[in-house]
Amino acid sequence: MFEQHLLPPISRDISGHAIHQHIRALFPILRSITGKGIVETLQYISAQIKNFSTTSVASGDLVFDWTVPKEWNVSSAKLMNKHKNIIIDINDSTLHILQYSLPFNGLVSREELEEHLFTLPNQPDLIPYKTSYYTENWGFCLSENQKKKLTDTHYYVDIDATLAPGFLTYGEVLIPGESDEEFLFSIHCCHPSLANDNLSSLAIAIELIRKLQDLPERRLSYRFLFLPGTIGSITWLARNSDKTKNIKNGLVLSCLGDKGPFTYKKAREDSASINTLMSKLLSRQSTARIWDFEPYGYDERQYCSPGFNLPVGCLMRSPNGTFPEYHTSADNLDFVTPDALESSFSLLADLITITENSLYPVSTSPYGEPQLGKRGLYPLQHEALKTDEIRDDLPDQLGLLWALNLSDGKNSILDIASRAQRSFRSILYAVGLLQKAGLLKLYGREQAQPFPTP
Ligand code: ZN
């Protein structure tokens, strides 16, 4: 029997403003699933953390049932009137260009132009985000109000873009721990200037990686993937299918900067451990939502495809497609708040604290309650008691009694926190006090043994 020790909680002391700063830095870049924008984004991430690597896969390579697309780059895109006055310009918003637009230069009639304009008639001030990755086209995205002003008979279109054989690039960092068992975090990074849908989770992931890399000790290994949506995760899976056996838990992260409550979308297999973890982690947040798996949404679709069926769920605040700012110019720097980013970071820091301390306490004095008074644990000599409040990060008397009572080798620290309706940190602290007093020992799940007879 190998007795284990507690690892300290992951520090939550990160300012939401620091996370927001990453989003501000990355917001202006015109990203897509391939091209210079996503490469520049990966370079930014690389400058923030250690051991980040990128992989470039050639256009035309087969990845399962898909083909890596041509690389798209755009240097300018303008719509002008017949006097060559600029009306729409990607310098004003990266959303103005239909993603994967072919190059086009020439005079077109208003009727022809209209076939290539994309607006949101029900949200007339907003510019939509539209893509045409796998159908060749060109086009502009603009607000309905901008479109209404286009009353001339002809317009000049000048799209200086290339769609040519090149590369699809993704980024990756593995933070090794004692065990090869991995926790996977997957973040798509192919959207242009959209703050909540992809930049929020990307920015939080940077800070999470920094915290993990600074830990003196880790039990698990952590892999972070920064990929273009869909084709990126399919490409990674096609090239790394041998690594998937180590993935014991995983989360796709997206939309973590808005003010909505947390939403966890389950991994495909109902009994997946990530589903239990997230349900327990969110159980004390009355507004949090737990959704069943469905084969729609982000890259969990690929990780949970039947051949892989990985234990990977999806964590969001407001889910994709459910908020009016989604995929529009209103998903901007004001839509994501430092407070929301900070609380999303804290939740993930707690999740890592939980997975690093997935231990099973066993009482050393299970027959009758041990005498706590003589050990300074009854009444609990603790500042939490002096203020008579239950604090999230400090144990209270009843929480400590729960920890002692459920230390039977069958309940993990998380199970105890969940049953006691206390925060994980509070029960972790209580378990630490009890271990220090010699009243319990900690084991991994397989090592926890039944009590000796009295
Ligand atoms: Zn999206």
Side-chain angles (χ1 to χ4, degrees):
M1 297 237 295
F2 296 107
E3 202 181 334
Q4 305 276 354
H5 60 281
L6 293 179
L7 295 183
I10 309 290
S11 158
R12 296 187 288 200
D13 65 342
I14 181 83
S15 114
H17 293 279
I19 303 172
H20 201 270
Q21 179 52 41
H22 294 305
I23 301 177
R24 277 207 296 280
L26 293 166
F27 191 76
I29 299 174
L30 201 176
R31 269 168 297 273
S32 186
I33 53 174
T34 63
K36 291 184 183 126
I38 191 165
V39 171
E40 194 185 331
T41 303
L42 296 173
Q43 282 165 349
Y44 177 90
I45 299 169
S46 180
Q48 309 294 323
I49 58 174
K50 293 175 271 188
N51 302 326
F52 187 72
S53 66
T54 57
T55 303
S56 292
V57 183
S59 305
D61 274 18
L62 295 179
V63 284
F64 297 128
D65 196 44
W66 295 59
T67 306
V68 173
K70 289 178 185 166
E71 182 177 325
W72 182 65
N73 284 292
V74 55
S75 46
S76 72
K78 295 190 252 311
L79 179 69
M80 294 169 285
N81 65 15
K82 63 183 175 199
H83 308 295
K84 297 265 176 123
N85 294 322
I86 296 170
I87 303 164
I88 301 292
D89 188 338
I90 53 162
N91 287 326
D92 298 328
S93 169
T94 62
L95 299 180
H96 274 319
I97 184 83
L98 172 72
Q99 290 251 319
Y100 263 64
S101 271
L102 297 174
F104 189 91
N105 190 290
L107 191 68
V108 295
S109 71
R110 194 184 172 283
E111 288 68 38
E112 190 189 340
L113 177 66
E114 216 163 292
E115 306 274 298
H116 297 275
L117 297 181
F118 301 88
T119 66
L120 296 166
N122 295 328
Q123 294 170 292
D125 294 324
L126 304 183
I127 308 165
Y129 161 60
K130 293 278 179 209
T131 66
S132 188
Y133 302 135
Y134 303 105
T135 309
E136 294 203 336
N137 196 2
W138 62 266
F140 290 100
C141 303
L142 67 169
S143 75
E144 180 69 15
N145 289 337
Q146 282 174 312
K147 185 182 168 185
K148 277 186 186 149
K149 290 182 192 150
L150 300 177
T151 52
D152 294 354
T153 56
H154 288 82
Y155 288 89
Y156 282 106
V157 171
D158 184 3
I159 298 174
D160 185 1
T162 55
L163 184 61
F167 295 94
L168 174 147
T169 308
Y170 59 80
E172 181 169 9
V173 57
L174 177 69
I175 308 164
E178 270 168 46
S179 162
D180 291 339
E181 293 193 354
E182 287 182 14
F183 201 120
L184 175 77
F185 288 98
S186 179
I187 298 109
H188 67 287
C189 51
C190 51
H191 288 23
S193 305
L194 296 174
N196 199 32
D197 188 1
N198 98 173
L199 286 182
S200 63
S201 46
L202 196 157
I204 287 169
I206 289 173
E207 294 302 332
L208 213 52
I209 292 166
R210 283 176 162 173
K211 283 272 189 273
L212 277 164
Q213 289 184 328
D214 284 347
L215 291 179
E217 184 183 356
R218 287 175 298 269
R219 289 204 167 96
L220 298 176
S221 298
Y222 296 84
R223 188 184 297 274
F224 285 76
L225 302 177
F226 297 87
L227 315 147
T230 307
I231 186 67
S233 52
I234 289 173
T235 302
W236 187 86
L237 285 164
R239 297 168 63 95
N240 296 278
S241 50
D242 57 319
K243 292 184 182 141
T244 58
K245 64 177 187 304
N246 289 336
I247 298 171
K248 299 301 173 193
N249 285 297
L251 281 179
V252 169
L253 303 178
S254 187
C255 299
L256 288 172
D258 65 279
K259 291 179 182 158
F262 286 109
T263 308
Y264 172 65
K265 192 179 129 187
K266 286 182 182 177
R268 177 181 187 261
E269 209 58 48
D270 218 47
S271 59
S273 61
I274 185 67
N275 293 345
T276 312
L277 270 174
M278 293 307 295
S279 303
K280 289 192 173 167
L281 178 62
L282 291 169
S283 66
R284 295 173 67 249
Q285 302 202 13
S286 58
T287 53
R289 298 165 288 200
I290 309 278
W291 285 8
D292 283 334
F293 174 77
E294 61 170 5
Y296 187 72
Y298 292 108
D299 285 323
E300 66 278 8
R301 293 158 71 163
Q302 313 313 330
Y303 302 116
C304 293
S305 56
F308 287 109
N309 195 21
L310 296 175
V312 177
C314 178
L315 180 67
M316 300 166 280
R317 299 183 78 99
S318 294
N320 52 301
T322 65
F323 51 98
E325 296 83 359
Y326 176 73
H327 280 191
T328 76
S329 50
D331 183 359
N332 58 26
L333 293 172
D334 296 327
F335 183 58
V336 291
T337 69
D339 281 353
L341 293 163
E342 203 171 304
S343 94
S344 298
F345 176 86
S346 293
L347 186 84
L348 290 164
D350 283 358
L351 176 66
I352 291 170
T353 300
I354 289 170
T355 56
E356 285 293 308
N357 287 290
S358 178
L359 298 173
Y360 291 73
V362 179
S363 171
T364 57
S365 182
Y367 299 104
E369 280 181 357
Q371 196 183 347
L372 295 175
K374 66 183 180 189
R375 297 172 170 97
L377 296 171
Y378 200 96
L380 184 58
Q381 300 296 308
H382 211 283
E383 62 181 287
L385 280 183
K386 289 178 203 150
T387 57
D388 205 26
E389 60 171 342
I390 294 180
R391 265 178 52 178
D392 201 38
D393 53 349
L394 292 174
D396 62 290
Q397 190 75 66
L398 188 55
L400 184 124
L401 290 173
W402 270 116
L404 198 57
N405 184 278
L406 293 176
S407 287
D408 56 3
K410 294 176 197 148
N411 290 286
S412 69
I413 303 173
L414 179 61
D415 294 334
I416 298 171
S418 176
R419 179 134 177 218
Q421 281 295 296
R422 299 293 189 279
S423 76
F424 183 79
R425 280 178 189 247
S426 153
I427 295 298
L428 187 71
Y429 203 128
V431 166
L433 290 177
L434 291 165
Q435 189 185 30
K436 214 163 155 187
L439 291 174
L440 57 78
K441 293 184 174 187
L442 291 165
Y443 299 99
R445 172 182 268 216
E446 282 78 31
Q447 281 77 42
Q449 299 276 320
F451 301 121
T453 40

